[in-house]
Amino acid sequence: MDAPLDQIALFTGLFGGLALFLFGMDIMTDALKRATGHYLKDILAKLTRNRFMGVGVGAFVTVIVNSSSVTTVILVGFISAGLLSMAQSVSVIMGANIGSTITAQILAFKVSSIALPAITVGFAVSFLAPSKAIKQYGRMFLGFGFVFYGMSLMSDAMAPLRSHQPFLDVLVNLDTAIAAALAGAIFTAVIQSSAATTGIVIVMAGQGIIDLEAAIAIALGANIGTCATAGLAAIGKPREAVRAAVVHLLFNTAGVLIWIGFIPELAAFVQGISPSSENLVGAARAAADAPRQIANAHTIFNIVNTAIFIGFTAHMARLVEWLVPDRPLKIEESATPKYLDKLLLSTPSVALNNVRFELDRMGDQVVAMLNNGFTAAIHPTAHGMSDVIAQDVSVDALHRAIVTYLGKVSSSGLSEADGRDVLGLLEVANSLEDIGDRVALDIATSARKRVDEGGKQDKKRLAQLENIQQNIVTSLKDAIRSVVQHDSELASDVRKRKVGLKRLRQKFERGSAHALSGSKANLTTYIREMELLEILNSIFRTARAIARVQLAEDKSKDSEGVEQED
Amino acid sequence: MDKETGTLTEPAPARPVLVALDFSTDSEAAFLWGAKHAALISAPLMVLHVIHDPVENPGFYNKEGESTLLPIEDIAEEKMQDFFLNVAKAQPQLKNVQLIDRKLAIGLPAGRIVEVANNENAQLIVMGTRGRTGLSNLLLGSVAKKVLQHASVPVVVVKSEPSEPED
């Protein structure tokens, strides 16, 4: 008779091992994303119109981030932030499934013996390495070690189940492919990791607890369950992003439906092509060979599915557009941020890039405020100033959203370069908000006083003042553009405009002083003109400060390059 | 003058002619037709581009030579600007091209065109067609066909002059 099952040891081993596995995956994915995040957006930007290239990109990114659902979540984030289209994402999603086969293949290696050394080395590197970049590689090793240590704990805990009759009775319920696939789908959706399901299936098959066909069916089901992650990420997102998540579900479900009737054939095929343990016989041999066979089956069905569906990407996208129709058109609210998507927080360099786009939007609003405020200030009735003050409410709301978002980005542990970028972008956001306040408060106050005093404006001097204002608006636009587009040449050009503007200002001051001939009306006009000039000048100083942020970023990049060369 | 009551009434503002553009040669032809027609009936001209990456040929909003991701909406705005610059250059007789009311909407083209036409109370929709044929037409349909089916105002579909056949 078998020894009684130690249920505490079983559950702690199984769930503790699963927890370590998931924790390891999380650390590894996070470290991989942080080490390579800045390449991700460049890789995706180079997506061509060629769907085969898209498949390659999807596979590559998935290998980098170690999870097909993470790739799809990144895609959903990019689409939601308006950087990528659903049509572009279809082939990338297909490629993501191919990329996930690498994880399954790695899991099929019996590398539990190197789990603890990997943890030791990973821990040492992540704590002792001098640079953040090398620390990330240490964390990758640490995560890798945890994944395999978790698998070995689960394997040890499950060993007694081989002969435990109640458990074997439960498994009988999984003897149909559909039931097994369903179990795989539900389990994966709950733990949000198809790699973990594949890992457990490999462990169970390796212990001889389940046979190859059941293992393949569960792994197939995991392909459906993994769609839950992107599905959850797409809730409340724009329709294009929801469509990408539906493409993922549709493609993976269709793939499973194709294979579900051919599992015995697939099992026989992978048994034929996978390496076999010649020195073992019977159940022991089947158990020893199963992990690689499962990984190979996983690889085959994902590659074949992509090969089948690659010709139908357009039709699949059209079907999804039909399934997920547009919502009615909404008027864009200027106070609501457009590009600050929470899903991008896991890839800080992409999130920071989107902060630049949001700053661009905020900048447009500030420039409009400056134009409208100035027009209102020189208008005899100061008409339109209430609109300018209303615009400031929108600018303030965007400022708050950007600062909050940057706070979230910086709380996720940044590289030195990204950390500096956060500070620079905060300065730009604060500067733009400051300009907005100066227009809404100082220019508005000056305009009100001028209306009350009823001073007259000389046409020639007004034209000079307008010229100065236009120069400052151009400089502000260019300063914002230099930050958004990382254009140091433009930033440097803005900094150089100080001399030219000083000349214009002095010329205007001389003219105003000359016109000051003692009458009270001329005196009040002079005071208001000088007041407006001073406000405009302070706005120009802030524009120059914005340009300096871009120059400082460029300088720190250069010095980093020199350090690396050293 | 109101003929029935014989009283003077305020004339209702003219309903716009809406031209839907996808920046193709056909949509240029549609724009020119729409502009001429609007001038003829003294109606305001409004143009619309629906931001939608074509599923059969994705990457329409990829910018050549750009190594980083840019907002699709910004690229669409640039394309609209370029379209009008080209039209202004090719058709110098057209006045105030840069002042035409331009709209961008994100979504599925046919539905959005009909929706914007309704929202803006357009009197006419003018659009080009790429003239998809065969299986592709059967499976993917055409935007113009869907707009014709769902629009509540007249729709003019314009095709550009066919190019010279190659030998």
Side-chain angles (χ1 to χ4, degrees):
Chain A
M1 192 179 154
D2 291 331
L5 189 69
D6 182 349
Q7 292 193 351
I8 295 176
L10 171 68
F11 281 102
T12 51
L14 190 58
F15 289 107
L18 179 60
L20 262 186
F21 182 101
L22 292 172
F23 181 55
M25 286 292 283
D26 200 41
I27 292 180
M28 202 161 40
T29 299
D30 189 60
L32 284 161
K33 275 200 289 187
R34 285 189 194 291
T36 57
H38 55 291
Y39 298 119
L40 277 183
K41 65 177 191 296
D42 297 343
I43 293 168
L44 287 164
K46 290 191 177 80
L47 274 180
T48 60
R49 296 167 195 213
N50 182 337
R51 60 191 121 175
F52 298 99
M53 192 80 154
V55 169
V57 168
F60 183 68
V61 172
T62 304
V63 171
I64 288 179
V65 298
N66 206 19
S67 158
S68 65
S69 45
V70 169
T71 302
T72 317
V73 169
I74 290 175
L75 287 175
V76 167
F78 281 17
I79 296 169
S80 171
L83 300 176
L84 213 61
S85 71
M86 182 275 288
Q88 282 173 305
S89 76
V90 179
S91 57
V92 185
I93 289 169
M94 290 181 176
N97 278 10
I98 292 181
S100 74
T101 63
I102 303 289
T103 313
Q105 291 290 355
I106 293 172
L107 293 177
F109 282 112
K110 292 192 187 80
V111 285
S112 53
S113 57
I114 64 153
L116 286 175
I119 291 172
T120 313
V121 172
F123 180 81
V125 173
S126 64
F127 272 80
L128 301 174
S131 89
K132 277 192 177 174
I134 299 173
K135 277 182 200 285
Q136 297 299 351
Y137 291 107
R139 292 181 70 235
M140 275 179 223
F141 260 99
L142 187 66
F144 181 79
F146 278 146
V147 165
F148 283 99
Y149 193 58
M151 274 181 82
S152 103
L153 284 180
M154 285 192 280
S155 178
D156 292 345
M158 277 198 266
L161 287 176
R162 268 179 297 193
S163 51
H164 186 61
Q165 197 53 47
F167 181 73
L168 296 176
D169 292 342
V170 172
L171 284 185
V172 169
N173 293 321
L174 296 181
D175 64 348
T176 66
I178 293 174
L182 203 62
I186 294 169
F187 184 74
T188 306
V190 171
I191 60 168
Q192 304 258 307
S193 166
S194 66
T197 307
T198 314
I200 291 172
V201 163
I202 284 173
V203 165
M204 287 171 87
Q207 288 285 1
I209 297 170
I210 54 170
D211 64 14
L212 180 61
E213 290 180 21
I216 292 175
I218 295 173
L220 276 174
N223 260 30
I224 297 179
T226 197
C227 302
T229 315
L232 289 172
I235 291 174
K237 298 285 173 205
R239 298 308 251 186
E240 277 279 280
V242 175
R243 287 179 192 130
V246 176
V247 163
H248 192 207
L249 179 67
L250 210 64
F251 170 59
N252 284 15
T253 308
V256 171
L257 290 178
I258 287 175
W259 285 98
I260 200 89
F262 300 100
I263 290 178
E265 290 77 6
L266 180 60
F269 181 70
V270 291
Q271 277 169 332
I273 60 159
S274 305
S276 152
S277 313
E278 302 290 348
N279 51 342
L280 296 173
V281 286
R285 181 172 172 176
D289 293 346
R292 182 62 55 206
Q293 290 166 353
I294 295 166
N296 285 345
H298 184 260
T299 303
I300 288 168
F301 69 65
N302 277 310
I303 290 178
V304 171
N305 285 349
T306 304
I308 292 172
F309 287 106
I310 191 81
F312 298 99
T313 51
H315 305 93
M316 194 177 272
R318 239 345 121 89
L319 175 63
V320 172
E321 286 180 346
W322 179 74
L323 288 171
V324 188
D326 278 332
R327 290 194 191 101
L329 266 178
K330 213 167 53 173
I331 295 163
E332 188 186 302
E333 287 173 23
S334 58
T336 312
K338 254 171 87 175
Y339 300 110
L340 309 180
D341 199 291
K342 278 184 195 161
L343 290 178
L344 302 181
L345 290 172
S346 66
T347 45
S349 55
V350 182
L352 291 175
N353 216 37
N354 270 33
V355 169
R356 286 186 153 77
F357 299 138
E358 201 62 62
L359 282 172
D360 197 20
R361 246 184 110 221
M362 185 181 171
D364 284 347
Q365 293 186 20
V366 171
V367 166
M369 269 183 85
L370 183 52
N371 279 327
N372 297 341
F374 180 79
T375 310
I378 56 170
H379 194 269
T381 56
H383 177 74
M385 205 39 107
S386 57
D387 290 346
V388 173
I389 292 165
Q391 276 177 312
D392 190 43
V393 175
S394 160
V395 167
D396 284 349
L398 279 186
H399 173 249
R400 259 196 305 280
I402 290 171
V403 170
T404 311
Y405 192 75
L406 283 172
K408 284 181 188 157
V409 174
S410 59
S411 66
S412 60
L414 299 175
S415 68
E416 279 163 40
D418 286 344
R420 276 194 306 270
D421 208 12
V422 166
L423 292 178
L425 296 177
L426 261 179
E427 192 182 332
V428 176
N430 292 338
S431 300
L432 289 176
E433 197 260 350
D434 184 49
I435 295 176
D437 283 349
R438 254 178 276 170
V439 176
L441 297 173
D442 300 349
I443 293 187
T445 309
S446 172
R448 210 175 304 120
K449 283 184 197 165
R450 207 176 58 79
V451 173
D452 292 345
E453 292 158 358
K456 282 185 182 169
Q457 193 83 50
D458 177 79
K459 272 188 183 169
K460 193 180 160 199
R461 285 209 309 283
L462 191 62
Q464 282 180 330
L465 199 57
E466 275 174 335
N467 184 28
I468 292 172
Q469 188 260 353
Q470 275 312 309
N471 268 286
I472 291 170
V473 165
T474 309
S475 296
L476 178 60
K477 279 184 185 169
D478 288 347
I480 298 165
R481 196 151 59 94
S482 76
V483 173
V484 174
Q485 298 179 355
H486 303 273
D487 189 342
S488 294
E489 216 172 298
L490 189 61
S492 169
D493 190 42
V494 171
R495 301 279 303 165
K496 285 177 195 156
R497 289 178 205 168
K498 188 181 173 184
V499 182
L501 204 84
K502 193 177 173 186
R503 264 191 223 120
L504 286 178
R505 214 177 56 227
Q506 284 170 341
K507 193 178 166 195
F508 179 75
E509 281 169 350
R510 275 199 299 274
S512 293
H514 191 67
L516 186 65
S517 58
S519 83
K520 198 183 170 193
N522 282 352
L523 177 68
T524 53
T525 302
Y526 173 79
I527 292 169
R528 294 302 146 234
E529 280 176 358
M530 289 303 113
E531 196 172 61
L532 202 52
L533 191 67
E534 182 45 41
I535 299 167
L536 289 174
N537 196 39
S538 73
I539 291 173
F540 177 65
R541 280 199 297 271
T542 313
R544 289 185 78 237
I546 292 173
R548 195 175 52 216
V549 169
Q550 172 52 31
L551 292 174
E553 190 211 336
D554 208 30
K555 205 173 168 187
S556 55
K557 261 189 198 162
D558 283 351
S559 60
E560 248 177 31
V562 171
E563 272 170 33
Q564 276 169 11
E565 277 167 25
D566 292 344
Chain B
M1 177 84 85
D2 189 316
K3 281 181 185 169
E4 283 179 15
T5 60
T7 54
L8 280 170
T9 50
E10 188 80 16
R15 295 165 63 194
V17 169
L18 179 71
V19 181
L21 303 173
D22 65 359
F23 311 129
S24 63
T25 323
D26 288 310
S27 72
E28 195 178 325
F31 171 74
L32 294 176
W33 193 94
K36 275 182 200 161
H37 185 74
L40 211 64
I41 60 170
S42 303
L45 184 64
M46 182 182 281
V47 297
L48 165 72
H49 171 65
V50 181
I51 302 173
H52 177 259
D53 204 11
V55 292
E56 62 272 32
N57 196 10
F60 182 68
Y61 300 100
N62 273 11
K63 211 171 167 186
E64 289 292 321
E66 186 58 58
S67 64
T68 194
L69 285 173
L70 294 173
I72 287 176
E73 222 175 316
D74 288 1
I75 298 169
E77 245 169 68
E78 272 180 38
K79 280 182 180 278
M80 178 84 97
Q81 185 66 26
D82 291 348
F83 176 85
F84 280 110
L85 283 176
N86 290 337
V87 167
K89 209 186 283 176
Q91 311 285 339
Q93 78 282 7
L94 286 178
K95 301 273 181 272
N96 300 330
V97 170
Q98 297 298 338
L99 300 176
I100 293 165
D101 190 2
R102 305 168 189 188
K103 292 201 177 303
L104 288 171
I106 300 173
L108 306 178
R112 283 291 187 241
I113 292 169
V114 173
E115 197 180 354
V116 171
N118 289 341
N119 291 352
E120 301 293 336
N121 197 21
Q123 59 170 300
L124 177 71
I125 299 171
V126 184
M127 57 191 298
T129 179
R130 270 177 281 177
R132 195 184 274 125
T133 54
L135 186 66
S136 165
N137 179 41
L138 193 70
L139 295 172
L140 300 172
S142 107
V143 176
K145 204 158 74 184
K146 284 182 197 155
V147 172
L148 277 167
Q149 278 167 352
H150 296 106
S152 52
V153 292
V155 180
V156 174
V157 180
V158 182
K159 282 190 86 167
S160 61
E161 295 284 319
S163 51
E164 290 290 314
E166 284 176 34
D167 291 331

